[in-house]
Amino acid sequence: MNGNVSRRPRWALALTILAVSALPAAAQIAVSGNDSKRRLENGVNRIVSDATTDTATIIDLGGRAPRVVGEVPLSHSVVGPPTSVAITPDERYAIVTSAERLDPANASRTVPDNRVQVIDLRATPPRVTQVVEAGAGPSGVSINRAGNLVLVANRNAGTVSVFRFANGALAPVSTVTIGNATSSPAHVQFTPDGRRALVTRDDAAGSFVSVLTVDGETVTKTDRDITAGIRPYGMGITGDGRWAVAANIGRGGGDADTVTLIDLRREPYLAADTISVGPTPEGIQVSPDNRHVAVTIHNGSARPQGHPLRGRGQLVMLRIDNGRLREVARAPIGDWAQGIAFSRDGRTILVQNMADRNIAVFRFQDGRLTDTRQRIAVNGGPAAIRTADAPARR
């Protein structure tokens, strides 16, 4: 069995959901958002008109092996970078965006959504407790380390929504214009000190990461746009606030695409290095030790069988050395891979395989990647995953 989690009957799932309220203090929670509306069938991205509901899977990373401890029905989407889930620093709540939904007038197609949902992870069972509206196509979402401010990148609106978060509820504060409707803000992430935020923009017209200033609840766009690679999409920021990394998805032509390292040690922030990693880096996450970066690349795995550009997905490990990126390890993964999550010690890595509808578990130690062969099955295609950032120091 290799620790695999198979699909369970509903009574078993209900028992598992109840268990989340009694997690030990050593638990670490990851939340995977899963899209049931889309399936990859021999290179064709199909809409499933009679799909079951989308879900969020709650995973405990605190034990000897990751295990599912709950599942929540909600609305979610694979559209946008795999950072459309965020968890509060105290692991009490998760916030999940929904970039698209089935068209009510024609279930064979989708339309942009605008919903942002709050999950109470400690409720019995865990459940969605609030749904609010952001702009069109809400994608990447982040919570500051004080746990009181939330930013959402609205990919179809060219904006970032600002929300206050208090007592488990979101309240709209303002909307920040990043560009026109095609500027495509994909992900937004706070710096650890909470004074700035970075916005990736995967519009075809530019290759920018925009900088926001955060003063209390007042968020404004600065005139600083950092030049990254082609179409910066996913992003991570090291916990010490020294570096950011942007995954540049390119134009989807099968060419080798890149990851850009951004120096945050002084202002203005500057791109310090860009490294080739392979075709279409979708997911990106920094390790707890602030020295490593994990990247998933599609490598043509979403193309049809027999296509000359089809390859196998890859998990690539990079190391930050003296302001430069270098590759230290690489391992094969599944098709159409999405997001990445690290355990607190940095030794366990979760990788979402969207087409395979599972999450692969890897070990990373002494610069080496090992596939544990554990696969966590989820209901829907896993499309985004996050763990909580460390809380702000008081």
Side-chain angles (χ1 to χ4, degrees), residues 237-304:
I237 296 178
T238 58
D240 59 9
R242 293 164 58 89
W243 307 100
V245 284
N248 309 305
I249 59 173
R251 306 193 187 279
D255 305 295
D257 296 309
T258 61
V259 168
T260 296
L261 180 68
I262 299 170
D263 190 344
L264 305 181
R265 295 175 295 178
R266 62 186 64 85
E267 296 193 52
Y269 300 152
L270 296 171
D273 192 27
T274 296
I275 186 174
S276 173
V277 291
T280 320
E282 177 82 6
I284 190 166
Q285 193 55 262
V286 295
S287 65
D289 68 5
N290 303 313
R291 295 184 296 175
H292 292 94
V293 181
V295 186
T296 58
I297 62 168
H298 287 183
N299 197 32
S301 63
R303 297 183 186 274

Short mmCIF file of all heavy atoms in Angstrom, two decimals, residues 237-304:
data_model
loop_
_atom_site.label_atom_id
_atom_site.label_comp_id
_atom_site.label_asym_id
_atom_site.label_seq_id
_atom_site.Cartn_x
_atom_site.Cartn_y
_atom_site.Cartn_z
N ILE A 237 8.24 33.74 -1.25
CA ILE A 237 9.14 34.67 -0.57
C ILE A 237 9.74 33.95 0.63
O ILE A 237 9.00 33.31 1.40
CB ILE A 237 8.41 35.95 -0.13
CG1 ILE A 237 7.90 36.72 -1.36
CG2 ILE A 237 9.32 36.84 0.71
CD1 ILE A 237 7.12 37.98 -1.03
N THR A 238 11.05 34.03 0.80
CA THR A 238 11.69 33.33 1.92
C THR A 238 11.22 33.93 3.24
O THR A 238 10.91 35.12 3.34
CB THR A 238 13.22 33.41 1.82
OG1 THR A 238 13.63 34.80 1.80
CG2 THR A 238 13.73 32.72 0.57
N GLY A 239 11.17 33.07 4.26
CA GLY A 239 10.67 33.49 5.56
C GLY A 239 11.48 34.58 6.22
O GLY A 239 10.97 35.32 7.06
N ASP A 240 12.77 34.71 5.82
CA ASP A 240 13.59 35.78 6.39
C ASP A 240 13.45 37.09 5.63
O ASP A 240 14.08 38.09 5.98
CB ASP A 240 15.06 35.35 6.45
CG ASP A 240 15.64 35.00 5.07
OD1 ASP A 240 14.97 35.25 4.04
OD2 ASP A 240 16.76 34.45 5.03
N GLY A 241 12.64 37.09 4.56
CA GLY A 241 12.37 38.31 3.82
C GLY A 241 13.49 38.79 2.92
O GLY A 241 13.45 39.92 2.41
N ARG A 242 14.48 37.95 2.68
CA ARG A 242 15.64 38.37 1.87
C ARG A 242 15.43 38.17 0.38
O ARG A 242 16.01 38.91 -0.42
CB ARG A 242 16.89 37.61 2.33
CG ARG A 242 17.34 37.96 3.73
CD ARG A 242 18.32 36.93 4.29
NE ARG A 242 19.50 36.76 3.48
CZ ARG A 242 20.62 37.48 3.60
NH1 ARG A 242 20.70 38.43 4.51
NH2 ARG A 242 21.65 37.23 2.83
N TRP A 243 14.65 37.17 0.01
CA TRP A 243 14.54 36.80 -1.40
C TRP A 243 13.09 36.47 -1.78
O TRP A 243 12.34 35.95 -0.96
CB TRP A 243 15.40 35.57 -1.72
CG TRP A 243 16.83 35.68 -1.31
CD1 TRP A 243 17.41 35.16 -0.19
CD2 TRP A 243 17.86 36.40 -2.00
NE1 TRP A 243 18.74 35.49 -0.15
CE2 TRP A 243 19.05 36.25 -1.24
CE3 TRP A 243 17.90 37.13 -3.18
CZ2 TRP A 243 20.25 36.82 -1.64
CZ3 TRP A 243 19.11 37.70 -3.58
CH2 TRP A 243 20.26 37.55 -2.82
N ALA A 244 12.76 36.76 -3.04
CA ALA A 244 11.53 36.28 -3.65
C ALA A 244 11.90 35.51 -4.90
O ALA A 244 12.97 35.76 -5.50
CB ALA A 244 10.59 37.44 -4.01
N VAL A 245 11.06 34.56 -5.29
CA VAL A 245 11.28 33.81 -6.52
C VAL A 245 9.99 33.81 -7.32
O VAL A 245 8.90 33.65 -6.76
CB VAL A 245 11.73 32.36 -6.25
CG1 VAL A 245 13.18 32.31 -5.82
CG2 VAL A 245 10.85 31.68 -5.20
N ALA A 246 10.11 34.02 -8.61
CA ALA A 246 8.95 34.03 -9.51
C ALA A 246 9.12 32.95 -10.56
O ALA A 246 10.19 32.83 -11.17
CB ALA A 246 8.81 35.40 -10.18
N ALA A 247 8.07 32.15 -10.74
CA ALA A 247 8.06 31.13 -11.79
C ALA A 247 7.49 31.75 -13.06
O ALA A 247 6.34 32.21 -13.08
CB ALA A 247 7.21 29.94 -11.35
N ASN A 248 8.28 31.78 -14.11
CA ASN A 248 7.90 32.42 -15.37
C ASN A 248 7.43 31.36 -16.35
O ASN A 248 8.24 30.59 -16.87
CB ASN A 248 9.08 33.20 -15.93
CG ASN A 248 9.70 34.13 -14.89
OD1 ASN A 248 9.01 34.98 -14.32
ND2 ASN A 248 10.98 33.98 -14.63
N ILE A 249 6.12 31.30 -16.62
CA ILE A 249 5.56 30.17 -17.37
C ILE A 249 5.78 30.25 -18.88
O ILE A 249 5.54 29.28 -19.60
CB ILE A 249 4.07 29.97 -17.08
CG1 ILE A 249 3.26 31.23 -17.45
CG2 ILE A 249 3.85 29.59 -15.63
CD1 ILE A 249 1.76 31.02 -17.33
N GLY A 250 6.26 31.39 -19.37
CA GLY A 250 6.58 31.49 -20.80
C GLY A 250 5.35 31.46 -21.68
O GLY A 250 4.23 31.75 -21.25
N ARG A 251 5.54 31.07 -22.93
CA ARG A 251 4.47 31.13 -23.92
C ARG A 251 3.89 29.76 -24.26
O ARG A 251 3.06 29.63 -25.17
CB ARG A 251 4.97 31.83 -25.18
CG ARG A 251 5.56 33.21 -24.90
CD ARG A 251 5.76 34.02 -26.15
NE ARG A 251 6.48 35.26 -25.85
CZ ARG A 251 5.91 36.35 -25.35
NH1 ARG A 251 4.62 36.35 -25.05
NH2 ARG A 251 6.62 37.44 -25.13
N GLY A 252 4.32 28.73 -23.56
CA GLY A 252 3.73 27.42 -23.77
C GLY A 252 4.14 26.74 -25.06
O GLY A 252 3.46 25.83 -25.52
N GLY A 253 5.26 27.15 -25.63
CA GLY A 253 5.69 26.59 -26.90
C GLY A 253 6.63 25.41 -26.78
O GLY A 253 7.17 24.94 -27.79
N GLY A 254 6.86 24.94 -25.56
CA GLY A 254 7.77 23.82 -25.36
C GLY A 254 9.20 24.22 -25.09
O GLY A 254 10.06 23.36 -24.85
N ASP A 255 9.47 25.52 -25.14
CA ASP A 255 10.82 26.00 -24.86
C ASP A 255 11.10 25.92 -23.36
O ASP A 255 10.18 25.86 -22.54
CB ASP A 255 10.96 27.46 -25.31
CG ASP A 255 10.60 27.65 -26.77
OD1 ASP A 255 11.32 27.10 -27.62
OD2 ASP A 255 9.59 28.32 -27.05
N ALA A 256 12.37 25.93 -23.00
CA ALA A 256 12.75 25.95 -21.59
C ALA A 256 12.38 27.30 -20.99
O ALA A 256 12.73 28.35 -21.53
CB ALA A 256 14.24 25.69 -21.44
N ASP A 257 11.64 27.28 -19.88
CA ASP A 257 11.24 28.50 -19.19
C ASP A 257 12.08 28.68 -17.93
O ASP A 257 12.98 27.88 -17.67
CB ASP A 257 9.74 28.44 -18.89
CG ASP A 257 8.91 28.42 -20.19
OD1 ASP A 257 9.16 29.28 -21.04
OD2 ASP A 257 8.06 27.53 -20.33
N THR A 258 11.75 29.71 -17.15
CA THR A 258 12.71 30.18 -16.16
C THR A 258 12.10 30.47 -14.79
O THR A 258 10.88 30.58 -14.64
CB THR A 258 13.38 31.48 -16.67
OG1 THR A 258 12.37 32.49 -16.85
CG2 THR A 258 14.12 31.25 -17.96
N VAL A 259 12.99 30.62 -13.81
CA VAL A 259 12.67 31.12 -12.48
C VAL A 259 13.57 32.33 -12.21
O VAL A 259 14.77 32.27 -12.48
CB VAL A 259 12.88 30.04 -11.40
CG1 VAL A 259 12.82 30.64 -10.00
CG2 VAL A 259 11.86 28.93 -11.55
N THR A 260 12.97 33.41 -11.70
CA THR A 260 13.72 34.63 -11.40
C THR A 260 13.87 34.81 -9.90
O THR A 260 12.89 34.68 -9.15
CB THR A 260 13.03 35.87 -12.01
OG1 THR A 260 13.04 35.77 -13.43
CG2 THR A 260 13.75 37.15 -11.61
N LEU A 261 15.08 35.11 -9.44
CA LEU A 261 15.37 35.41 -8.05
C LEU A 261 15.38 36.93 -7.88
O LEU A 261 16.05 37.64 -8.63
CB LEU A 261 16.73 34.84 -7.66
CG LEU A 261 17.21 35.07 -6.23
CD1 LEU A 261 16.35 34.30 -5.23
CD2 LEU A 261 18.68 34.68 -6.08
N ILE A 262 14.61 37.43 -6.90
CA ILE A 262 14.50 38.86 -6.66
C ILE A 262 15.11 39.19 -5.30
O ILE A 262 14.78 38.55 -4.29
CB ILE A 262 13.02 39.31 -6.70
CG1 ILE A 262 12.43 39.02 -8.09
CG2 ILE A 262 12.88 40.78 -6.36
CD1 ILE A 262 10.92 39.20 -8.17
N ASP A 263 15.99 40.17 -5.27
CA ASP A 263 16.68 40.59 -4.06
C ASP A 263 15.81 41.59 -3.30
O ASP A 263 15.54 42.69 -3.79
CB ASP A 263 18.03 41.22 -4.44
CG ASP A 263 18.93 41.47 -3.23
OD1 ASP A 263 18.42 41.44 -2.09
OD2 ASP A 263 20.14 41.69 -3.44
N LEU A 264 15.37 41.20 -2.09
CA LEU A 264 14.53 42.07 -1.26
C LEU A 264 15.31 42.70 -0.11
O LEU A 264 14.71 43.31 0.77
CB LEU A 264 13.36 41.26 -0.68
CG LEU A 264 12.48 40.50 -1.67
CD1 LEU A 264 11.37 39.77 -0.90
CD2 LEU A 264 11.87 41.43 -2.70
N ARG A 265 16.63 42.57 -0.11
CA ARG A 265 17.41 43.03 1.03
C ARG A 265 17.51 44.54 1.11
O ARG A 265 17.82 45.10 2.17
CB ARG A 265 18.81 42.40 1.00
CG ARG A 265 18.79 40.90 1.17
CD ARG A 265 20.16 40.29 1.01
NE ARG A 265 20.67 40.47 -0.36
CZ ARG A 265 21.85 40.07 -0.77
NH1 ARG A 265 22.68 39.46 0.09
NH2 ARG A 265 22.23 40.25 -2.02
N ARG A 266 17.30 45.22 -0.01
CA ARG A 266 17.31 46.68 -0.03
C ARG A 266 16.36 47.15 -1.12
O ARG A 266 16.01 46.39 -2.02
CB ARG A 266 18.73 47.20 -0.28
CG ARG A 266 19.31 46.78 -1.61
CD ARG A 266 20.76 47.18 -1.75
NE ARG A 266 21.59 46.51 -0.78
CZ ARG A 266 22.10 45.29 -0.96
NH1 ARG A 266 21.84 44.61 -2.06
NH2 ARG A 266 22.85 44.73 -0.04
N GLU A 267 15.96 48.41 -1.02
CA GLU A 267 15.06 48.96 -2.03
C GLU A 267 15.82 49.95 -2.91
O GLU A 267 16.71 50.65 -2.41
CB GLU A 267 13.87 49.63 -1.36
CG GLU A 267 13.00 48.62 -0.59
CD GLU A 267 11.66 49.18 -0.18
OE1 GLU A 267 10.95 49.71 -1.07
OE2 GLU A 267 11.33 49.08 1.01
N PRO A 268 15.49 50.01 -4.20
CA PRO A 268 14.43 49.27 -4.87
C PRO A 268 14.79 47.79 -5.01
O PRO A 268 15.96 47.43 -5.18
CB PRO A 268 14.32 49.94 -6.24
CG PRO A 268 15.69 50.48 -6.49
CD PRO A 268 16.21 50.91 -5.14
N TYR A 269 13.77 46.94 -4.94
CA TYR A 269 13.97 45.52 -5.15
C TYR A 269 14.44 45.29 -6.59
O TYR A 269 13.98 45.95 -7.52
CB TYR A 269 12.68 44.75 -4.93
CG TYR A 269 12.08 44.87 -3.55
CD1 TYR A 269 10.72 44.74 -3.36
CD2 TYR A 269 12.88 45.11 -2.43
CE1 TYR A 269 10.15 44.83 -2.09
CE2 TYR A 269 12.33 45.20 -1.16
CZ TYR A 269 10.96 45.07 -1.00
OH TYR A 269 10.41 45.16 0.25
N LEU A 270 15.36 44.31 -6.74
CA LEU A 270 15.95 44.06 -8.06
C LEU A 270 15.95 42.57 -8.38
O LEU A 270 16.17 41.74 -7.49
CB LEU A 270 17.40 44.57 -8.11
CG LEU A 270 17.63 46.06 -7.95
CD1 LEU A 270 19.13 46.35 -7.80
CD2 LEU A 270 17.07 46.82 -9.16
N ALA A 271 15.74 42.24 -9.65
CA ALA A 271 15.96 40.87 -10.11
C ALA A 271 17.45 40.60 -10.09
O ALA A 271 18.24 41.35 -10.67
CB ALA A 271 15.41 40.70 -11.52
N ALA A 272 17.85 39.54 -9.38
CA ALA A 272 19.27 39.24 -9.20
C ALA A 272 19.76 38.14 -10.11
O ALA A 272 20.94 38.10 -10.47
CB ALA A 272 19.53 38.86 -7.74
N ASP A 273 18.88 37.21 -10.48
CA ASP A 273 19.30 36.06 -11.28
C ASP A 273 18.07 35.42 -11.91
O ASP A 273 16.96 35.50 -11.36
CB ASP A 273 20.02 35.03 -10.41
CG ASP A 273 20.75 33.96 -11.21
OD1 ASP A 273 21.13 34.24 -12.36
OD2 ASP A 273 20.91 32.85 -10.69
N THR A 274 18.27 34.81 -13.06
CA THR A 274 17.21 34.03 -13.71
C THR A 274 17.84 32.75 -14.23
O THR A 274 18.91 32.77 -14.86
CB THR A 274 16.57 34.81 -14.88
OG1 THR A 274 15.91 35.98 -14.36
CG2 THR A 274 15.54 33.96 -15.60
N ILE A 275 17.19 31.60 -13.93
CA ILE A 275 17.73 30.29 -14.29
C ILE A 275 16.70 29.51 -15.10
O ILE A 275 15.50 29.58 -14.82
CB ILE A 275 18.15 29.51 -13.03
CG1 ILE A 275 18.86 28.21 -13.38
CG2 ILE A 275 16.97 29.26 -12.12
CD1 ILE A 275 19.43 27.47 -12.18
N SER A 276 17.18 28.78 -16.08
CA SER A 276 16.30 27.91 -16.87
C SER A 276 15.99 26.65 -16.07
O SER A 276 16.89 26.04 -15.47
CB SER A 276 16.98 27.55 -18.19
OG SER A 276 16.23 26.58 -18.89
N VAL A 277 14.70 26.24 -16.06
CA VAL A 277 14.31 25.03 -15.33
C VAL A 277 13.61 24.01 -16.20
O VAL A 277 13.55 22.83 -15.87
CB VAL A 277 13.41 25.38 -14.12
CG1 VAL A 277 14.19 26.11 -13.05
CG2 VAL A 277 12.18 26.17 -14.55
N GLY A 278 13.05 24.43 -17.34
CA GLY A 278 12.32 23.52 -18.21
C GLY A 278 10.96 24.11 -18.58
O GLY A 278 10.58 25.17 -18.08
N PRO A 279 10.20 23.44 -19.44
CA PRO A 279 8.96 24.01 -19.95
C PRO A 279 7.86 24.13 -18.89
O PRO A 279 7.52 23.17 -18.22
CB PRO A 279 8.53 23.02 -21.04
CG PRO A 279 9.79 22.31 -21.44
CD PRO A 279 10.58 22.21 -20.18
N THR A 280 7.34 25.34 -18.76
CA THR A 280 6.16 25.66 -17.96
C THR A 280 6.31 25.35 -16.48
O THR A 280 5.76 24.37 -15.97
CB THR A 280 4.89 24.98 -18.52
OG1 THR A 280 4.90 25.01 -19.95
CG2 THR A 280 3.64 25.68 -18.00
N PRO A 281 7.05 26.17 -15.74
CA PRO A 281 7.10 26.03 -14.28
C PRO A 281 5.78 26.54 -13.68
O PRO A 281 5.51 27.72 -13.70
CB PRO A 281 8.29 26.89 -13.87
CG PRO A 281 8.43 27.90 -14.97
CD PRO A 281 7.93 27.24 -16.23
N GLU A 282 4.99 25.62 -13.17
CA GLU A 282 3.65 25.96 -12.68
C GLU A 282 3.66 26.30 -11.19
O GLU A 282 3.24 27.37 -10.78
CB GLU A 282 2.70 24.79 -12.93
CG GLU A 282 1.30 24.97 -12.40
CD GLU A 282 0.40 25.77 -13.32
OE1 GLU A 282 0.84 26.08 -14.44
OE2 GLU A 282 -0.74 26.09 -12.93
N GLY A 283 4.14 25.39 -10.36
CA GLY A 283 4.15 25.63 -8.93
C GLY A 283 5.54 26.02 -8.46
O GLY A 283 6.56 25.59 -9.02
N ILE A 284 5.59 26.84 -7.41
CA ILE A 284 6.87 27.24 -6.84
C ILE A 284 6.66 27.51 -5.35
O ILE A 284 5.64 28.06 -4.95
CB ILE A 284 7.47 28.46 -7.56
CG1 ILE A 284 8.92 28.72 -7.12
CG2 ILE A 284 6.60 29.70 -7.38
CD1 ILE A 284 9.66 29.70 -8.03
N GLN A 285 7.62 27.09 -4.53
CA GLN A 285 7.54 27.32 -3.09
C GLN A 285 8.95 27.34 -2.52
O GLN A 285 9.83 26.62 -2.98
CB GLN A 285 6.71 26.24 -2.42
CG GLN A 285 6.31 26.55 -0.99
CD GLN A 285 5.57 27.88 -0.87
OE1 GLN A 285 6.19 28.88 -0.52
NE2 GLN A 285 4.28 27.89 -1.17
N VAL A 286 9.16 28.19 -1.50
CA VAL A 286 10.46 28.25 -0.85
C VAL A 286 10.43 27.37 0.39
O VAL A 286 9.38 27.15 1.01
CB VAL A 286 10.83 29.70 -0.48
CG1 VAL A 286 11.00 30.53 -1.73
CG2 VAL A 286 9.77 30.32 0.43
N SER A 287 11.58 26.85 0.76
CA SER A 287 11.68 25.93 1.89
C SER A 287 11.79 26.71 3.20
O SER A 287 12.19 27.88 3.22
CB SER A 287 12.90 25.02 1.72
OG SER A 287 14.09 25.80 1.79
N PRO A 288 11.47 26.05 4.32
CA PRO A 288 11.58 26.73 5.63
C PRO A 288 12.98 27.18 5.98
O PRO A 288 13.14 28.08 6.81
CB PRO A 288 11.06 25.67 6.61
CG PRO A 288 10.18 24.79 5.80
CD PRO A 288 10.82 24.73 4.44
N ASP A 289 14.02 26.56 5.39
CA ASP A 289 15.39 26.96 5.73
C ASP A 289 15.85 28.19 4.96
O ASP A 289 17.00 28.61 5.10
CB ASP A 289 16.37 25.79 5.53
CG ASP A 289 16.55 25.40 4.06
OD1 ASP A 289 15.99 26.08 3.16
OD2 ASP A 289 17.24 24.40 3.80
N ASN A 290 14.96 28.76 4.10
CA ASN A 290 15.25 29.98 3.33
C ASN A 290 16.32 29.79 2.26
O ASN A 290 16.75 30.78 1.65
CB ASN A 290 15.67 31.13 4.26
CG ASN A 290 14.65 31.46 5.31
OD1 ASN A 290 13.47 31.59 5.01
ND2 ASN A 290 15.09 31.57 6.56
N ARG A 291 16.74 28.55 2.02
CA ARG A 291 17.85 28.33 1.09
C ARG A 291 17.46 27.55 -0.15
O ARG A 291 18.24 27.49 -1.10
CB ARG A 291 18.98 27.58 1.80
CG ARG A 291 19.64 28.36 2.93
CD ARG A 291 20.80 27.61 3.53
NE ARG A 291 20.36 26.36 4.15
CZ ARG A 291 21.18 25.44 4.66
NH1 ARG A 291 22.48 25.63 4.60
NH2 ARG A 291 20.70 24.36 5.22
N HIS A 292 16.28 26.92 -0.15
CA HIS A 292 15.90 26.07 -1.27
C HIS A 292 14.57 26.51 -1.87
O HIS A 292 13.72 27.10 -1.19
CB HIS A 292 15.81 24.61 -0.84
CG HIS A 292 17.14 24.01 -0.48
ND1 HIS A 292 17.61 23.99 0.82
CD2 HIS A 292 18.10 23.45 -1.25
CE1 HIS A 292 18.80 23.43 0.83
NE2 HIS A 292 19.13 23.08 -0.40
N VAL A 293 14.40 26.20 -3.14
CA VAL A 293 13.19 26.52 -3.89
C VAL A 293 12.75 25.26 -4.62
O VAL A 293 13.55 24.63 -5.33
CB VAL A 293 13.44 27.65 -4.91
CG1 VAL A 293 12.16 27.98 -5.67
CG2 VAL A 293 14.02 28.89 -4.23
N ALA A 294 11.50 24.87 -4.43
CA ALA A 294 10.94 23.73 -5.16
C ALA A 294 10.06 24.25 -6.29
O ALA A 294 9.27 25.18 -6.09
CB ALA A 294 10.13 22.84 -4.22
N VAL A 295 10.19 23.64 -7.46
CA VAL A 295 9.46 24.07 -8.65
C VAL A 295 8.88 22.84 -9.35
O VAL A 295 9.58 21.84 -9.53
CB VAL A 295 10.38 24.82 -9.65
CG1 VAL A 295 9.57 25.39 -10.81
CG2 VAL A 295 11.17 25.91 -8.95
N THR A 296 7.60 22.90 -9.75
CA THR A 296 7.06 21.86 -10.63
C THR A 296 7.03 22.39 -12.05
O THR A 296 6.62 23.52 -12.29
CB THR A 296 5.62 21.46 -10.22
OG1 THR A 296 4.76 22.62 -10.25
CG2 THR A 296 5.60 20.84 -8.84
N ILE A 297 7.49 21.57 -12.99
CA ILE A 297 7.41 21.95 -14.40
C ILE A 297 6.54 20.92 -15.13
O ILE A 297 6.61 19.73 -14.88
CB ILE A 297 8.79 22.07 -15.06
CG1 ILE A 297 9.55 20.75 -15.05
CG2 ILE A 297 9.61 23.18 -14.41
CD1 ILE A 297 10.79 20.76 -15.93
N HIS A 298 5.72 21.43 -16.05
CA HIS A 298 4.85 20.54 -16.83
C HIS A 298 5.66 19.66 -17.78
O HIS A 298 5.35 18.49 -17.99
CB HIS A 298 3.85 21.35 -17.64
CG HIS A 298 2.77 21.95 -16.82
ND1 HIS A 298 1.74 22.67 -17.38
CD2 HIS A 298 2.54 21.95 -15.48
CE1 HIS A 298 0.92 23.07 -16.43
NE2 HIS A 298 1.39 22.67 -15.27
N ASN A 299 6.66 20.28 -18.41
CA ASN A 299 7.53 19.53 -19.32
C ASN A 299 6.73 18.83 -20.43
O ASN A 299 7.08 17.72 -20.85
CB ASN A 299 8.36 18.50 -18.54
CG ASN A 299 9.55 17.99 -19.32
OD1 ASN A 299 10.13 18.71 -20.13
ND2 ASN A 299 9.93 16.75 -19.10
N GLY A 300 5.66 19.46 -20.88
CA GLY A 300 4.86 18.88 -21.95
C GLY A 300 3.94 17.77 -21.51
O GLY A 300 3.32 17.11 -22.35
N SER A 301 3.81 17.54 -20.20
CA SER A 301 3.02 16.40 -19.71
C SER A 301 1.52 16.58 -19.94
O SER A 301 0.76 15.61 -19.82
CB SER A 301 3.28 16.18 -18.22
OG SER A 301 2.87 17.30 -17.45
N ALA A 302 1.08 17.80 -20.26
CA ALA A 302 -0.34 18.02 -20.56
C ALA A 302 -0.64 17.86 -22.05
O ALA A 302 -1.78 18.09 -22.47
CB ALA A 302 -0.76 19.42 -20.09
N ARG A 303 0.35 17.45 -22.84
CA ARG A 303 0.13 17.25 -24.27
C ARG A 303 -0.33 15.82 -24.54
O ARG A 303 -0.15 14.93 -23.71
CB ARG A 303 1.42 17.56 -25.04
CG ARG A 303 1.88 19.01 -24.91
CD ARG A 303 3.12 19.27 -25.74
NE ARG A 303 3.66 20.61 -25.53
CZ ARG A 303 3.24 21.69 -26.18
NH1 ARG A 303 2.28 21.58 -27.11
NH2 ARG A 303 3.77 22.87 -25.93
N PRO A 304 -0.91 15.57 -25.72
CA PRO A 304 -1.40 14.20 -26.03
C PRO A 304 -0.27 13.18 -26.12
O PRO A 304 0.90 13.53 -26.37
CB PRO A 304 -2.08 14.38 -27.40
CG PRO A 304 -2.31 15.84 -27.56
CD PRO A 304 -1.22 16.53 -26.79
#
